[in-house]
Amino acid sequence: MTAEAVKRAAGLRVARAAAWSVLPAELVLVVCVVAGVPIPAAVLLAAESLVLAVLVLDASVLWRLYASRRRAGTGRREALRSAVGVLVPVTLRRLVVHELRALHSLGLWAVRRRHRIPEGALPVSYTEPQTGVMYTFAFVSVLETVVLALVIPWPLVHAILLVVDVYGIVLVLALHAACVTRPHLVEADGSLRLRYGALFDLRVPAAVIVSVRVDRRFPGGGLVRVDEDGTLDLAVGSQTTVTVKLTEPVGFVRPLGRRGSARTLRFHADDPRAAVTALTRGPAAPPPLTPDRTPSARLTPERTAPSSTPDLPA
């Protein structure tokens, strides 16, 4: 490793460590200011100066990474994306993206819309086993917020817990909203798209699907579990209801960024028979011909319209 590479790696480690240590302290300071806690001006000045120094350091490292990618011939957008990917850990990036998408889904849920349902696709909902649990969590969080507000006498502690509890309630509702507005999809071409809110998204082409059946199981483990034989369980409420077998493994990305592949997929559908029927019927038939849609627009040398029957000789 060259001296320049060692220097760049050391700067990257320092930038990451500074961001992880200073920015949480800045968040606590902001909460204290919002709660009305008197903080000496010298402390505020020192804290903001430290945060500014960290931001300058991160910007400097980011610029060096970007410039290095540009010198290698990478495009501007790709160079910026690569530089951010190196500076910011993948786990942190995915957590931030998940939260933003969940909050966006909360807005879609409020106006009764769904996220990107193509024309001809069948939405397959999967939230039934978890709906009661989610609402119970939200109710318990609201009850906890009210009780703590009555019990805790310290204004600062009360303000911090209030912010945390309210944000926690919003996230619980946003997670459920993401699942409601982002259902599984059986698309018009027979392909399958498996989703769990904003955390998981897997596309399966129709050509690799061998068989589909209703198959209720209760696998253990977390949301995404892969067995040694290449079986992926995407469970909701610790259950799956549909099993899909493939001709070849398909790759996927776990919620926190790890990659994997599976040749058998098990997922939950609230109406598994409708999902199986949609997957086994194949691609949707083309619409019927109308005066506005004639076969002449799709003629090719290999596929021509039938000629008219010749007149009989006189």
Side-chain angles (χ1 to χ4, degrees), residues 139-157:
F139 174 76
V140 170
S141 298
V142 172
L143 184 62
E144 177 191 16
T145 302
V146 174
V147 171
L148 291 178
L150 297 175
V151 172
I152 296 178
W154 306 287
L156 175 59
V157 178

Side-chain angles (χ1 to χ4, degrees), residues 8 38 52 64 79-80 87 120 139 143 197-198 214 233 235 261 278 293 309:
R8 188 183 300 117
L52 180 61
R64 288 201 297 268
L80 180 59
L87 182 62
F139 174 76
L143 184 62
V214 177
D233 288 311
S261 62
R293 181 179 180 273
T309 303

Side-chain angles (χ1 to χ4, degrees), residues 48-236:
E48 296 307 317
S49 299
L50 183 59
V51 171
L52 180 61
V54 170
L55 292 178
V56 170
L57 174 62
D58 287 343
S60 174
V61 173
L62 183 64
W63 172 254
R64 288 201 297 268
L65 292 171
Y66 172 80
S68 174
R69 301 297 190 276
R70 289 289 291 156
R71 285 194 299 269
T74 308
R76 293 181 179 179
R77 180 175 298 181
E78 291 299 324
L80 180 59
R81 182 178 301 174
S82 176
V84 172
V86 173
L87 182 62
V88 183
V90 61
T91 301
L92 179 60
R93 295 200 312 272
R94 293 189 67 86
L95 286 175
V96 171
V97 171
H98 292 333
E99 286 197 20
L100 293 177
R101 288 177 177 172
L103 294 174
H104 173 255
S105 300
L106 190 59
L108 293 178
W109 190 36
V111 297
R112 298 181 179 275
R113 293 179 57 189
R114 287 182 172 180
H115 181 266
R116 295 183 181 178
I117 307 297
E119 183 179 355
L122 173 68
V124 180
S125 62
Y126 52 84
T127 57
E128 186 176 299
Q130 71 177 24
T131 300
V133 176
M134 289 295 185
Y135 286 150
T136 301
F137 280 162
F139 174 76
V140 170
S141 298
V142 172
L143 184 62
E144 177 191 16
T145 302
V146 174
V147 171
L148 291 178
L150 297 175
V151 172
I152 296 178
W154 306 287
L156 175 59
V157 178
H158 174 261
I160 294 174
L161 291 179
L162 179 62
V163 171
V164 173
D165 286 342
V166 170
Y167 190 64
I169 295 170
V170 171
L171 281 185
V172 170
L173 294 177
L175 176 61
H176 183 61
C179 294
V180 173
T181 59
R182 298 168 184 260
H184 303 316
L185 296 175
V186 180
E187 301 195 16
D189 62 354
S191 61
L192 173 65
R193 185 178 183 182
L194 296 181
R195 301 194 282 190
Y196 182 83
L199 295 174
F200 186 84
D201 195 341
L202 169 61
R203 296 177 182 268
V204 184
V208 302
I209 299 177
V210 175
S211 64
V212 187
R213 71 179 188 273
V214 177
D215 183 21
R216 186 176 297 275
R217 293 173 179 264
F218 298 89
L223 170 66
V224 179
R225 189 179 69 119
V226 182
D227 293 337
E228 295 181 357
D229 60 353
T231 299
L232 167 68
D233 288 311
L234 182 62
V236 179

